[in-house]
Amino acid sequence: MIKIGDKVDDRFRILSRVATGGMADIYEANDLIMKRVVCLKIMKEALLRDPRNVERFANETAVAASFAHPNIVRVYGRGFVEGRPYMATEFVKGQTLRDKLNFAVTLSLSDACEVMLQLTSAIGYIHNHGLVHRDIKPDNLFYLSDGTVKVSDFGISIPIGTLPAGDAIQGTIYYCAPEVLLGKPAEISNDIYSMGVVFFELLTGTVPFDGATPDEVAMKQLKTRFPEASKSIPSLPHSVDKLIATACRKHPSERFITADEFREAILETMKDRDNFKERKGFFSKLFGFK
């Protein structure tokens, strides 16, 4: 039993229990060597019985530990405590992007573009290190009070070109590219699609495809034309609709080739300041409403 005040590996002193996730218990701890507050993510004891859980946790730790990017959560150390694997990461003071959307529903076009610039930068960095994230969604993106975005959760990341193990689809169905649902090897284009879905959700407050069952959502991802965000937000510039549509083409070869190309396209759109002017509706113009 891990208690407040315990020391882990003679380096980390437990300060408080922050939360419990699907795979791990999260603690705030003091790094006695580096004199900083960190987050300790300790795998739940009940999950140790399944080797796949241990493998996923170990994979996430190993992958994230090799990264150094301002928009990726840093890993400072890893090991075992009471037979449970743990990793020590930077202590991120903020909410997830999912928490933000649960409260605000949508982001302004300007804020959404700022989020996407940071996200594409981080994912581009990951791709340049030969990996595909495979689980990009608001739940795995921290959103700090100053607007900084940090990518987390690398549990199912695998090298580019690798065929996913097993028959089950890994990732979150609402953000999965069509080819992922068909069991194709992991490619950069998979993450491009997921980022496009996130962009759509930031602006509209909804995912592009929903359904009563995962199978129904999967069939829409495969067969149904990707919706235009401007159908929900008529004031949205055509150029932004085009950005999302390009990222979410059904065929991978028709999407942005790289995350950097996606990012450059967003920057180009942001240069047109007319895209970010407040657009008033008919009654606002007629009666002078704000």
Side-chain angles (χ1 to χ4, degrees):
M1 173 71 73
I2 297 169
K3 303 183 295 296
I4 306 304
D6 284 353
K7 276 205 299 186
V8 175
D9 282 347
D10 288 324
R11 176 176 176 178
F12 306 107
R13 187 179 296 281
I14 303 292
L15 299 176
S16 66
R17 182 168 174 165
V18 177
T20 296
M23 180 164 283
D25 296 319
I26 314 298
Y27 296 88
E28 180 181 0
N30 194 7
D31 185 337
L32 302 175
I33 296 176
M34 300 304 294
K35 309 298 183 186
R36 61 190 171 194
V37 175
V38 300
C39 175
L40 280 191
K41 186 175 182 179
I42 305 175
M43 188 172 176
K44 290 181 175 178
E45 189 172 4
L47 299 179
L48 295 174
R49 291 189 290 268
D50 189 338
R52 290 174 298 181
N53 293 328
V54 178
E55 181 182 359
R56 175 172 177 173
F57 193 91
N59 180 65
E60 177 180 2
T61 307
V63 167
S66 66
F67 294 149
H69 187 282
N71 299 115
I72 296 176
V73 175
R74 292 291 305 273
V75 172
Y76 297 134
R78 49 184 171 155
F80 288 85
V81 54
E82 297 183 355
R84 298 158 60 185
Y86 80 85
M87 62 176 159
T89 72
E90 69 175 297
F91 191 80
V92 181
K93 294 183 179 179
Q95 57 189 345
T96 65
L97 195 54
R98 170 65 62 216
D99 295 330
K100 175 71 174 177
L101 290 176
N102 285 342
F103 176 77
V105 182
T106 64
L107 298 187
S108 67
L109 176 56
S110 179
D111 286 347
C113 285
E114 290 294 340
V115 166
M116 292 305 301
L117 288 178
Q118 296 178 71
L119 177 57
T120 50
S121 177
I123 298 302
Y125 175 91
I126 293 168
H127 292 165
N128 289 338
H129 281 71
L131 293 168
V132 182
H133 187 283
R134 300 176 69 227
D135 201 14
I136 299 168
K137 58 183 178 181
D139 313 67
N140 291 337
L141 305 173
F142 283 102
Y143 188 80
L144 280 59
S145 58
D146 64 357
T148 299
V149 173
K150 286 184 178 284
V151 179
S152 68
D153 201 335
F154 296 88
I156 61 173
S157 299
I158 56 177
I160 295 170
T162 303
L163 191 64
D167 297 328
I169 295 169
Q170 292 184 312
T172 304
I173 196 74
Y174 302 103
Y175 305 89
C176 281
E179 67 275 11
V180 171
L181 303 175
L182 298 174
K184 302 292 185 180
E187 298 292 348
I188 287 172
S189 54
N190 307 160
D191 284 349
I192 299 294
Y193 185 96
S194 298
M195 288 193 289
V197 174
V198 169
F199 202 179
F200 182 97
E201 186 175 8
L202 293 179
L203 293 169
T204 67
T206 63
V207 289
F209 300 118
D210 203 350
T213 65
D215 286 345
E216 184 180 340
V217 178
M219 287 305 298
K220 289 180 179 178
Q221 296 278 33
L222 289 166
K223 302 292 185 181
T224 305
R225 184 175 182 271
F226 198 91
E228 295 178 347
S230 60
K231 296 295 184 183
S232 300
I233 311 171
S235 62
L236 197 68
H238 173 72
S239 56
V240 176
D241 252 344
K242 187 177 179 181
L243 283 177
I244 298 172
T246 302
C248 297
R249 299 289 186 201
K250 296 296 185 190
H251 199 284
S253 66
E254 297 177 353
R255 298 173 201 151
F256 295 111
I257 298 173
T258 65
D260 290 338
E261 184 182 3
F262 192 179
R263 186 172 186 275
E264 287 301 318
I266 296 171
L267 283 170
E268 195 62 34
T269 296
M270 293 178 73
K271 287 180 183 178
D272 186 351
R273 301 317 301 174
D274 285 342
N275 289 334
F276 297 89
K277 287 182 179 179
E278 182 181 2
R279 288 171 167 79
K280 295 184 178 181
F282 172 76
F283 288 105
S284 297
K285 293 176 181 177
L286 184 62
F287 297 108
F289 296 154
K290 292 185 178 181

